[in-house]
């Protein structure tokens, strides 16, 4: 089954919409697809210059972390060209 923003991405981001409105609307396809790489860099763990794994910067405090399954889905969605 093909990934889509409406069925695979938006429902997860819906819970963060209010806290993130200062930046952009996480439930709006154009806003998310236009910032897909930035979001990807914020929700995935990263490695610093010393090789230490750093935790993701999103989601904001007081929210549960995004699941590994969702991260894989989001990364696949971005790789697929952010289908609507």
């Amino acid at each position: 089954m093909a990934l889509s923003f409406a069925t695979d991405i938006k429902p997860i981001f819906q819970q963060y919409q209010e806290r993130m409105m200062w930046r952009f609307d996480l439930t709006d396809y154009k806003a998310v697809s236009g910032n897909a790489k930035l979001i990807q860099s914020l929700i995935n763990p990263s490695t610093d210059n010393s090789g230490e794994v750093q935790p993701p910067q999103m989601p904001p405090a007081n929210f549960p972390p995004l699941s590994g399954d969702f991260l894989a889905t989001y990364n696949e969605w971005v790789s697929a060209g952010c289908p609507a």
Side-chain angles (χ1 to χ4, degrees):
M1 187 163 119
L3 294 174
S4 77
F5 178 77
T7 59
D8 300 297
I9 306 304
K10 182 179 177 177
I12 300 300
F13 280 161
Q14 185 85 39
Q15 64 184 316
Y16 303 103
Q17 179 184 17
E18 187 175 318
R19 292 273 311 260
M20 291 298 295
M21 284 302 291
W22 65 270
R23 182 73 179 191
F24 46 80
D25 184 353
L26 287 170
T27 63
D28 179 75
Y29 171 76
K30 285 185 180 186
V32 175
S33 63
N35 291 283
K37 294 286 187 178
L38 171 63
I39 295 168
Q40 190 174 38
S41 73
L42 296 172
I43 65 174
N44 284 286
S46 61
T47 306
D48 67 16
N49 292 336
S50 68
E52 296 270 332
V53 175
Q54 300 299 311
Q57 296 177 39
M58 284 180 50
N62 301 324
F63 282 96
L66 295 168
S67 73
D69 287 343
F70 177 73
L71 293 176
T73 297
Y74 185 84
N75 293 332
E76 183 179 341
W77 178 76
V78 172
S79 292
C82 304

